[in-house]
Amino acid sequence: MASSIKYFIGNWKMFGIPSSYKILVNINRYFYRDKKNNKKYKIIMAPPLTLLQDYSKKFKSSKIYISAQNCYHKDNFGSHTGQVSPFMIKKLGVKYVIIGHSENRESGETNEIIKEKVKIALKNNLIVIFCIGENKSEKRKKKTFGVLKRQILKVIKNKLSLRNIIIAYEPIWSIGTGMVPSKNELQKNTAMLKKFIKRKFRSNYNPRILYGGSVDKNSVKEFKSINEIDGFLIGGASKSSKNFIDIIKNFYK
Ligand code: PGA
């Protein structure tokens, strides 16, 4: 059984200036108006680092939660030019951080670094949105499940941390491409992941697993009947309030 709360998480990537907060104002307004369903889901938005402080203040008492898109793998302060630690992020009032996104893995982030990031983020009481996913050639060679298992085992170290980690399954080949897995495939992978995690960590806790990769108002219709999915990590479609709201609308239609 999936946890009852669904997550709609937006990842703005390299997008947004101070005035872009209007997008979030619209989404927040929709949330309040959506009395029929708004107890069933949570909205989290990840703007770039430059907007974290401003937005976490602006939306402090709203229903939009703010997430960072990444963090450094060392804590507190240090001689790391251009880097920001989980401690510094937490001090802004931010509650979530995305770690292990494939775009960061591609620019050199290893499982080892990701493990450190997750460890320190959890230590600073951030909730981690931990991204995993196979690439096209791994999928073609039917290695998907082995890849996902390895990514999890290299990073998640104990069952207690599972409560503060939300896993985002994002097949790399589906990010920003308009290609999505078939409903069967996605359901099979999510169910297998849940079963594997529970067994491996000897946990009764039902891990939260989101899907990410070309989620929009159309693809969400296809996925909404997959009970194992606890929500979505949304890139491109999170940059417009209309597109983001349409995803929620279609999910509950
Ligand atoms: P996309 O991005 O929705 O634009 O495919 C998803 C992501 O990278 O998290």
Side-chain angles (χ1 to χ4, degrees):
M1 259 260 300
S3 67
S4 45
I5 286 281
K6 301 287 180 192
Y7 292 82
F8 293 91
I9 306 184
N11 174 12
W12 276 7
K13 310 189 183 185
M14 198 172 77
F15 166 84
I17 51 175
S19 61
S20 314
Y21 82 94
K22 290 176 199 146
I23 297 169
L24 302 196
V25 170
N26 290 338
I27 296 172
N28 192 40
R29 216 174 273 149
Y30 175 78
F31 181 90
Y32 279 102
R33 278 206 312 266
D34 186 22
K35 297 220 167 26
K36 184 159 167 246
N37 298 309
N38 69 10
K39 292 196 176 54
K40 302 183 203 152
Y41 62 91
K42 199 166 193 163
I43 296 173
I44 302 170
M45 203 54 83
L49 210 47
T50 45
L51 301 173
L52 276 186
Q53 178 168 31
D54 184 24
Y55 285 16
S56 48
K57 271 195 193 143
K58 279 199 172 74
F59 293 93
K60 196 171 178 201
S61 45
S62 81
K63 283 297 184 183
I64 305 238
Y65 296 87
I66 301 295
S67 172
Q69 295 178 11
N70 201 356
C71 61
Y72 197 53
H73 58 280
K74 298 224 186 308
D75 205 11
N76 294 351
F77 303 138
S79 304
H80 308 292
T81 304
Q83 302 298 348
V84 174
S85 67
F87 169 78
M88 291 156 80
I89 290 170
K90 181 67 185 181
K91 289 289 172 195
L92 300 178
V94 171
K95 292 200 168 59
Y96 296 84
V97 59
I98 297 173
I99 296 179
H101 194 283
S102 59
E103 286 155 11
N104 300 129
R105 289 181 190 259
E106 207 175 275
S107 41
E109 225 173 58
T110 60
N111 283 324
E112 207 40 51
I113 293 175
I114 294 169
K115 181 181 103 185
E116 282 305 298
K117 291 189 180 201
V118 170
K119 190 173 96 190
I120 300 168
L122 292 175
K123 185 180 140 210
N124 281 280
N125 295 319
L126 288 162
I127 296 177
V128 172
I129 300 155
F130 169 46
C131 302
I132 57 173
E134 82 284 5
N135 65 28
K136 208 175 198 163
S137 111
E138 289 159 344
K139 176 179 159 60
R140 215 179 305 121
K141 293 182 194 143
K142 301 205 183 321
K143 287 187 173 160
T144 297
F145 204 55
V147 170
L148 301 181
K149 282 204 275 199
R150 197 168 56 248
Q151 288 172 337
I152 287 173
L153 291 179
K154 291 265 182 193
V155 170
I156 301 183
K157 287 302 164 196
N158 62 63
K159 71 173 181 185
L160 283 179
S161 63
L162 279 177
R163 290 180 187 272
N164 292 314
I165 296 177
I166 299 170
I167 294 171
Y169 169 48
E170 300 204 296
I172 298 170
W173 50 270
S174 78
I175 294 178
T177 58
M179 287 192 288
V180 292
S182 71
K183 190 174 142 189
N184 266 351
E185 194 182 348
L186 187 53
Q187 166 164 36
K188 200 180 82 200
N189 284 345
T190 330
M192 280 199 309
L193 275 174
K194 289 204 166 186
K195 217 165 118 195
F196 166 74
I197 292 170
K198 283 171 132 177
R199 200 185 58 224
K200 196 76 206 172
F201 294 99
R202 296 199 181 88
S203 165
N204 294 326
Y205 180 72
N206 187 30
R208 289 164 290 184
I209 301 189
L210 316 182
Y211 168 73
S214 297
V215 175
D216 60 19
K217 64 178 180 187
N218 298 317
S219 57
V220 79
K221 288 190 216 157
E222 187 58 22
F223 300 145
K224 68 181 182 185
S225 59
I226 306 179
N227 283 329
E228 284 83 0
I229 290 184
D230 299 292
F232 302 94
L233 182 54
I234 304 157
S238 68
K239 296 185 278 187
S240 129
S241 52
K242 181 175 184 316
N243 291 345
F244 194 79
I245 292 167
D246 280 349
I247 291 174
I248 301 176
K249 279 187 183 161
N250 280 354
F251 185 81
Y252 288 107
K253 208 180 239 168

